[in-house]
Every structure is written in C-alpha cells, then in structure tokens.
Amino acid sequence: MEINKRIKYEKELDDSFWRWIVSTPGGENVEQCIQCGMCSGSCPLSIYMDYTPRRLIAMIKAGFKDEVLKSFTIWLCSSCYTCTIQCPMNIKVTDLMYILKQKAIENKKYPKRFPISVLSKEFFNMVSKKGRNTEINLVFKLLLKTNPLKFFGMASLGLKLIKTGRMNFKSDAIKNIKQLKTILNSIEE
Amino acid sequence: MEYNYYPGCSVKGTGKHYEESLINTLKELNIELNEIEDWNCCGATTYMSINELKAFALAARNLSLAEKNNKSDLITPCSACYLVLKKADDYIKKYDQIGKKILDALKSAGMEYNGKVKVKHPLELLTNDSMIEDIKKRVKKPLNGWKVFCYYGCQIVRPYPDFDDPRYPMSLDNIMNALGAEVVDHPFKTRCCGGSLTGTIEDVGLRLNYILLYEAQVRGANCVTTVCPLCQFNLECYQSKINKQYKSSFSIPVLYFSQIMGIAFGLPREKLGLNRSIISLKTLLEVA
Ligand code: SF4
Ligand code: SF4
C-alpha cells in the first residue's frame, strides 16, 4: 500500500510563485485579497471546481504552486468576469485564471485529455495557421481526441444545422496569411 | 452613418442569421456596416488561454486594419470578439511591456496601430434616446403579445461596462419596449451561458443553459432574445438535449435582437434569416 503524506511543510511551498503573479500584467492586485469570498459566491461554476476562486488565491499566496497549476478550476472558468466585477479589492480574478492557464501549459501541468485544454490547443493551431476558425473542423478534432463516441450523439444537431444552412464546410482562411504569420512570429522572438 | 464592421467567425457560420438580420435592420435606421477587409479571427477566450500576447497580436491586426479606414468606431456583433478586441486595446495602452511587443510585431509586418479605434457592440449604437425614438417611428407591426426574456450574457458588459450596467443592464430591454413587446423582468440578464462548455464538459454547460431556459419559462416568456452568437447557439441548439437530461419540455424560440427588430419593422423573413431557426417560430409569429 502506498502511503501519501497529506500536508505540506513550509519549506516545500514556493513563495516565488505569487511574487511572479503580482509582477505579471493583470495579476498586480492579487496580494490585496481579503478572502471575502465575493468571487466564489458569485461564480456560476464554483460548485464544479476543485478549488473555488477564493481558495485558489489563498493557495497562491501560500505557495501551493503545483496544486494551483494542476487544478481544473482554471480550465473550468468560462471567463464570465462576474468575479472581477464583484471583487471589492479590484482583483482581476478572470485575468488571473488566464495567467495560470498559460503557466500550466508552459510547465506542462495541464490535464492532457481534458476536453477544454484540447479544444484550446486545436483552436490555437487552426487560427495560427489560417487566421480564421471553422467551427466544424474544430468540433471534429475535439471529439476525435477526447470522446469519439460522442460524435453520434451530435449527429441529429448536425443535420439540423445543415438543413438550416448554418454549417460551413468550406474551411475559411484569410488572404494575407503571410502578414499574420510575420506578426505572430515576431511575438515569439 | 457608416461604420467599420468586424463580423467575427461565428456570424459567418452557425450565427449567419445574426449578420443577415443585423445588416438589414440597421439599414432601416440609416446605419451602414462596412466589413473591414481580410480581418482575422479574434482568437476568442480560447486563444488567450494559450498565449495572451499572441492573442493580443491577432486582435491588434484587426484594430490596425480598422484604423486605416479613418473611421474610429468598429462595430462587432459577437460578445467574445467585442471583449477580446477591447481588452487588447486596453492592455496595449495600459502595460508598456505589452504595448511595445505588439506594436513592434505589427511594424515587422508593415502595419501600425495608434490607438484610435473604439470597439462597439451594435447595442451601444441603439441605446441612446434619439435612436430609441427612431426605432419607435419605424415600427410597422408592434409586437403585441410578445413576452421577451432579454438575455445579455457576460462579455458585453463585463469587465468593461462602457455603455450599460454590468449586473442589471437595460439597453436591450429598452429596444424591446420600443418595439411594443412586453419585457419579462428577471435577475439573470448577465448570468453565464457557459460559452464553449456545452461542447467540452457538456453536463456543466447544459446545466447553465437549463437554468436560463427554466427562468424564462416560469416567468411566462414566449421567446428569448440574445446579442451574442455563442449564447444564441447554446440556448437554442441544446434545448432538445436539455429536455432529455432534465425531463423538461422547453420549446422556446431564441432570436437575435436584430431579428426581432426586423420583424417589428415588417421586413421579409428571408432578410432576417428566420428560416434558420431550429425551434419553430410558428406560434410566436402568430401571436403578433
Ligand atoms: S472577491 Fe476579491 S478580495 Fe474577495 S476573496 Fe475574491 S479575490 Fe479576494
Ligand atoms: S470569470 Fe471564471 S472564476 Fe470568475 S466568476 Fe466567471 S467562471 Fe467564475
């Protein structure tokens, strides 16, 4: 039987984490969080999250870097900005979620087959390549990589969309894709 | 009046009837939308999750294209595009390190952006008193008997509440009133529809939409109106799945505000994309 330790000692925590967040655009006010819970209370998705937004911020301040980056919370967040509007300390909670998502990808901590991170990646690749997003291609790729069986459950909706002319099969692209690529490459440098 | 217009990918696909109805209805109010040439996808919330700087760069290319046309207002009907373009503009101006990177990137492709573009949602054009008067004057078929559940969604009023209240907005209510419809009052105007969650974690996405449809139904609404292609898609296209999951029996038409305006203006149904509805509009159109 494997025995897991349930607590973390002070020296195992990473206190450079929140310093880094505070110095990142959008994360500046995080240290002023008073743990009031307005964010979690107003968040329509907090009931599904592993850590509520308030708790996630407490964990950031305490240095639970790994737990924060691996959490589903950051991927479940739908960017509705309710928390941001409600926060009495002007903390941009939604933007914090974006900072964390990017960091999780950078550190390869995101849940690999979790549909939301898969969708994000597919979408990113398509737009980087073509400049436009073609909804149908995206749906195909998402289902293929996460849950191929679900495809059949989508068929009747697909037919209705075709019948009403709302499905675009032609994959869309911009004309000056070279220009767009130059811009995106320049960001990488 | 002529405006720069940024459609976004959704109104070219599943949200076609939004664009069709918007262009034709605004024409009636002497507003002309000119699509900016060779625009690219705004990146939506999804692109921003992977690489925010690149997301801002995508947006900046569009802002730059719009600025070249010498008209400062850029109209975009999709809430996600609206927010992304606005946020990019805001961050480019607010944070030097971001601004510099983005402007350099544009420069490397021979483009520039001087920060002159004002991103606006069509609602913002229609929300002032004189516009409301204009709308009233153009109504040919007042919407008697319509009970409309106005649903704003999140991103047009948050986090940039530039033209309306972020919790209890009124602009859409005012338009519906001007058309002679009865507006159903409710506190869920800006509650989240889940965005792409219906496609990724369906159980959660369905639940969020179930709540909205349920609230519309118990309040006696006979239709829901939206201002965003993603909200419209979720609320309409997932109704049968929701019915299965929650043993409900929703059959509530979900129309774009521009379609409803067009109906009240007496425009022909092809001009409003009414045949693109998945949920039948028959009963609704008969009450009027
Ligand atoms: S609402 Fe703001 S201050 Fe309150 S717990 Fe959330 S982030 Fe902290
Ligand atoms: S933006 Fe994310 S964390 Fe904030 S209220 Fe909405 S879903 Fe919750």
Side-chain angles (χ1 to χ4, degrees):
Chain A
M1 190 179 106
E2 203 186 331
I3 294 177
N4 287 321
K5 179 161 69 88
R6 298 285 303 272
I7 57 157
K8 272 203 165 185
Y9 294 113
E10 197 72 25
K11 67 173 180 348
E12 294 168 317
L13 300 171
D14 182 347
D15 80 333
S16 64
F17 188 46
W18 77 269
R19 274 178 234 284
W20 169 77
I21 285 184
V22 172
S23 67
T24 307
E28 52 281 296
N29 290 345
V30 169
E31 59 185 319
Q32 281 157 38
C33 173
I34 52 171
Q35 290 289 300
C36 67
M38 281 296 277
C39 49
S40 305
S42 62
C43 173
L45 291 162
S46 61
I47 53 167
Y48 300 104
M49 291 171 169
D50 40 4
Y51 311 115
T52 61
R54 178 200 59 78
R55 191 159 166 207
L56 200 75
I57 292 180
M59 289 164 67
I60 290 170
K61 286 175 87 176
F64 286 84
K65 179 176 170 191
D66 266 11
E67 289 78 357
V68 168
L69 291 183
K70 277 188 198 147
S71 74
F72 286 150
T73 297
I74 56 182
W75 295 102
L76 259 175
C77 166
S78 67
S79 309
C80 75
Y81 290 89
T82 310
C83 50
T84 303
I85 285 290
Q86 297 294 359
C87 176
M89 303 307 286
N90 292 323
I91 294 167
K92 296 181 188 162
V93 187
T94 316
D95 289 357
L96 173 67
M97 300 292 177
Y98 280 115
I99 297 175
L100 295 172
K101 279 182 239 199
Q102 291 173 77
K103 194 71 178 172
I105 289 179
E106 196 187 309
N107 293 5
K108 301 213 166 16
K109 289 273 153 58
Y110 63 95
K112 294 261 160 9
R113 281 171 65 93
F114 196 47
I116 300 176
S117 38
V118 173
L119 175 75
S120 301
K121 286 228 132 162
E122 290 302 333
F123 185 89
F124 182 84
N125 293 340
M126 183 187 294
V127 175
S128 305
K129 250 198 280 176
K130 308 226 162 165
R132 294 266 170 94
N133 121 48
T134 312
E135 292 154 330
I136 176 82
N137 295 353
L138 203 62
V139 172
F140 272 136
K141 287 207 173 128
L142 173 72
L143 293 179
L144 227 71
K145 291 210 171 162
T146 57
N147 187 358
L149 283 176
K150 217 177 115 191
F151 183 74
F152 298 101
M154 297 288 290
S156 89
L157 175 58
L159 280 177
K160 285 183 200 150
L161 290 173
I162 293 169
K163 249 178 51 201
T164 51
R166 289 166 69 175
M167 192 90 104
N168 248 355
F169 285 103
K170 151 175 139 287
S171 132
D172 219 356
I174 63 169
K175 279 185 238 136
N176 204 342
I177 190 72
K178 232 178 94 196
Q179 184 185 51
L180 185 75
K181 283 196 172 147
T182 313
I183 296 175
L184 292 177
N185 288 340
S186 149
I187 296 282
E188 249 162 47
E189 278 159 21
Chain B
M1 256 316 236
E2 282 186 31
Y3 289 95
N4 278 325
Y5 170 58
Y6 175 86
C9 302
S10 298
V11 306
K12 298 291 180 189
T14 51
K16 270 183 195 148
H17 41 326
Y18 192 5
E19 178 169 76
E20 292 162 344
S21 59
L22 186 69
I23 289 180
N24 290 319
T25 315
L26 290 186
K27 257 192 207 139
E28 295 292 305
L29 298 164
N30 300 318
I31 298 174
E32 202 60 60
L33 298 179
N34 299 325
E35 186 168 327
I36 56 173
E37 191 146 342
D38 208 33
W39 54 272
N40 56 265
C41 170
C42 76
T45 49
T46 331
Y47 206 91
M48 221 176 262
S49 317
I50 307 256
N51 187 323
E52 197 170 47
L53 267 182
K54 284 192 178 178
F56 290 153
L58 282 180
R61 181 173 176 274
N62 293 317
L63 294 171
S64 163
L65 291 172
E67 198 176 58
K68 258 200 344 222
N69 284 350
N70 277 328
K71 275 186 233 90
S72 66
D73 289 347
L74 175 63
I75 309 301
T76 181
C78 167
S79 300
C81 302
Y82 170 83
L83 171 70
V84 171
L85 295 172
K86 243 184 151 63
K87 187 170 171 183
D89 182 59
D90 180 32
Y91 270 52
I92 289 170
K93 288 174 182 155
K94 198 180 279 165
Y95 299 103
D96 287 344
Q97 68 265 49
I98 293 179
K100 189 168 174 327
K101 267 238 134 166
I102 301 296
L103 297 185
D104 283 351
L106 285 179
K107 211 191 267 164
S108 72
M111 303 182 85
E112 56 175 1
Y113 177 54
N114 301 305
K116 290 198 193 121
V117 173
K118 270 211 177 73
V119 181
K120 288 188 177 169
H121 189 275
L123 267 191
E124 190 170 351
L125 298 180
L126 302 175
T127 181
N128 60 59
D129 294 349
S130 76
M131 231 346 145
I132 293 287
E133 282 313 307
D134 268 10
I135 292 174
K136 275 187 193 153
K137 273 185 222 145
R138 294 239 171 1
V139 172
K140 291 213 180 90
K141 252 178 60 189
L143 301 178
N144 302 324
W146 283 54
K147 294 193 178 128
V148 185
F149 185 89
C150 294
Y151 178 60
Y152 297 72
C154 356
Q155 301 187 336
I156 57 159
V157 283
R158 286 194 301 258
Y160 300 108
D162 283 3
F163 67 96
D164 213 332
D165 188 88
R167 298 176 189 91
Y168 191 78
M170 279 305 288
S171 44
L172 187 56
D173 294 48
N174 293 340
I175 295 174
M176 291 300 134
N177 275 326
L179 303 176
E182 182 188 327
V183 172
V184 175
D185 188 38
H186 68 97
F188 302 92
K189 292 178 176 186
T190 63
R191 196 183 199 280
C192 181
C193 77
S196 54
L197 280 174
T198 38
T200 50
I201 307 194
E202 196 177 87
D203 278 349
V204 176
L206 291 184
R207 171 95 205 162
L208 294 174
N209 287 283
Y210 167 76
I211 293 171
L212 292 166
L213 291 167
Y214 173 82
E215 294 297 338
Q217 191 176 54
V218 295
R219 286 171 162 76
N222 52 17
C223 76
V224 173
T225 185
T226 65
V227 302
C228 166
L230 208 53
C231 305
Q232 197 282 338
F233 188 83
N234 278 338
L235 287 165
E236 183 190 30
C237 299
Y238 283 98
Q239 265 185 49
S240 65
K241 272 211 166 156
I242 290 172
N243 284 339
K244 241 183 243 153
Q245 178 115 335
Y246 292 99
K247 310 214 174 356
S248 50
S249 53
F250 300 128
S251 178
I252 309 174
V254 183
L255 293 166
Y256 291 109
F257 73 100
S258 44
Q259 291 182 296
I260 301 186
M261 285 174 71
I263 293 171
F265 290 177
L267 299 182
R269 56 185 295 146
E270 318 79 69
K271 282 194 162 185
L272 304 173
L274 294 187
N275 43 353
R276 298 196 194 279
S277 286
I278 286 177
I279 291 174
S280 165
L281 304 178
K282 205 164 161 268
T283 347
L284 180 66
L285 293 175
E286 274 163 8
V287 299

